[in-house]
Amino acid sequence: QVQLVESGGGLVQAGGSLRLSCAASRSIFGINSMGWYRQAPGKQRDLVAAITRGGSTDYADSVKGRFSISRDNAKNTVYLQMNSLKPEDTAVYYCNAVVGHSYWGQGTQVTVSS
């Protein structure tokens, strides 16, 4: 079992940057898959970026070249660096960890104004 707490969301103008953090309640060293998802109002929750234990990453096409996911096993934290933000990036961003079951954080709001 693992609890996840996201932080770093907020209001930013288009073209700006934010860095989201996901702090886990236990060591993430052994967690093979961690990721960030987002959900805009009236839409489904979609994968934004994922990272494996070995450091392999995967990104949604819409964020490739703008977002970067990383993990710091020593701090039990996963990050999402978001650059060149667009209004369509506005959503609640959720951290996810797969440890047998899929665990979710409470989400953090990201709002990008035009």
Side-chain angles (χ1 to χ4, degrees):
Q1 189 174 0
V2 59
Q3 277 127 19
L4 305 170
V5 178
E6 302 98 334
S7 61
L11 173 63
V12 64
Q13 288 188 330
S17 298
L18 284 174
R19 187 175 81 153
L20 305 184
S21 298
C22 171
S25 61
R26 48 154 279 186
S27 172
I28 66 170
F29 179 78
I31 300 178
N32 187 54
S33 178
M34 297 194 70
W36 288 93
Y37 288 70
R38 67 186 181 188
Q39 187 168 21
K43 296 189 176 181
Q44 66 181 23
R45 189 175 297 187
D46 291 325
L47 176 70
V48 175
I51 186 166
T52 68
R53 177 180 175 180
S56 297
T57 58
D58 188 28
Y59 296 93
D61 287 343
S62 59
V63 306
K64 283 180 180 176
R66 300 189 298 123
F67 290 13
S68 177
I69 188 171
S70 60
R71 60 193 288 169
D72 186 335
N73 291 337
K75 295 183 178 180
N76 299 329
T77 301
V78 175
Y79 303 98
L80 184 68
Q81 177 66 44
M82 306 187 295
N83 299 325
S84 302
L85 282 161
K86 303 176 181 180
E88 51 263 44
D89 294 319
T90 295
V92 178
Y93 284 69
Y94 296 92
C95 182
N96 173 264
V98 178
V99 190
H101 300 284
S102 187
Y103 293 91
W104 298 92
Q106 82 288 350
T108 185
Q109 176 71 45
V110 172
T111 302
V112 184
S113 64
S114 56

